[in-house]
Amino acid sequence: MANTPQPLRRTALLASGVALLGLLTACGNESATSSGTPQPSEAARTAGADPASGTATPGDTAPAIGAAPSDTAGSASASARTDGRCHTSELRAAVGRVDPGAGQRNFPVVLTNTSDRTCTVYGYPGAAFVDGSGKQLGPDPERAPGSPETVTLPPGKSAWAGLSFSSPQISGARTATPATLLVTPPDEREPLKVKWTAGEVPVGGNASSVSVTALEAGTGP
């Protein structure tokens, strides 16, 4: 074998050493990655990154505790505000014309939505006759048998319930002449006041019962 010149032998040894050092460095890097330190793309994905590019995308991260609600929650709240139970302050009460029949006196008690939102009523209104001092005359009306249904009231629309009692001239019941009819919307506590102009009502005796029906759409039969 030919003798290799000394300078060339040193150059070859030096190149081999550099290559060996590079190999050891690469092995060291692989060991750090496999021990649990996330690669850049993995760390970005954990914080809401685009999996394809490995870069973080604003808005993809989970909201912080106490953050403002999303638009979806806001829409739900708006829906609840525009479609819920009608409150006393949003209604006007009135008593329609008497509808006599078979010894009965029947009156439509009308609730009208005066607010600027759609709301609902369900069930029976409360009713009570009172004198000029606010004292109740007679017992609370009884609820007539029926199947209540939810009535949706857009602004300006009405629902009515029937208020009925036997004509005192026929029944012989003890009577009084109220000043006001108090009408309480379903599930509310505050009543609406309606001036009573239809004369005497039964307030005592065996035939003194007054009944009220469940609310339904419209202003009367």
Side-chain angles (χ1 to χ4, degrees):
M1 181 176 64
N3 291 331
T4 303
Q6 192 71 17
L8 291 178
R9 185 178 304 171
R10 287 199 194 93
T11 300
L13 290 174
L14 181 60
S16 298
V18 170
L20 180 59
L21 180 60
L23 180 60
L24 291 174
T25 301
C27 291
N29 288 341
E30 287 182 0
S31 176
T33 302
S34 63
S35 68
T37 302
Q39 299 180 36
S41 60
E42 181 183 350
R45 185 161 52 248
T46 304
D50 181 350
S53 65
T55 57
T57 53
D60 289 342
T61 57
I65 296 175
S70 64
D71 290 341
T72 302
S75 299
S77 297
S79 176
R81 287 195 300 271
T82 57
D83 191 15
R85 186 179 82 241
C86 296
H87 300 292
T88 299
S89 61
E90 300 172 308
L91 297 169
R92 179 181 68 245
V95 177
R97 185 165 27 180
V98 62
D99 178 25
Q104 291 286 112
R105 303 190 72 191
N106 308 300
F107 300 86
V109 177
V110 182
L111 294 176
T112 301
N113 181 7
T114 60
S115 73
D116 58 0
R117 73 177 186 109
T118 296
C119 59
T120 60
V121 291
Y122 174 84
Y124 296 81
F129 294 110
V130 298
D131 62 17
S133 65
K135 180 182 178 181
Q136 182 169 339
L137 303 173
D140 292 338
E142 301 173 353
R143 292 183 175 184
S147 300
E149 295 183 357
T150 299
V151 182
T152 300
L153 298 181
K157 295 299 182 180
S158 303
W160 72 283
L163 183 72
S164 302
F165 52 85
S166 296
S167 175
Q169 289 79 11
I170 296 175
S171 70
R174 182 164 55 88
T175 65
T177 300
T180 304
L181 174 66
L182 301 181
V183 181
T184 306
D187 299 315
E188 291 291 300
R189 293 182 178 273
E190 293 298 320
L192 296 162
K193 297 180 179 180
V194 183
K195 185 178 181 181
W196 183 258
T197 60
E200 60 185 4
V201 300
V203 295
N206 294 333
S208 63
S209 63
V210 179
S211 65
V212 63
T213 65
L215 287 161
E216 55 186 292
T219 57

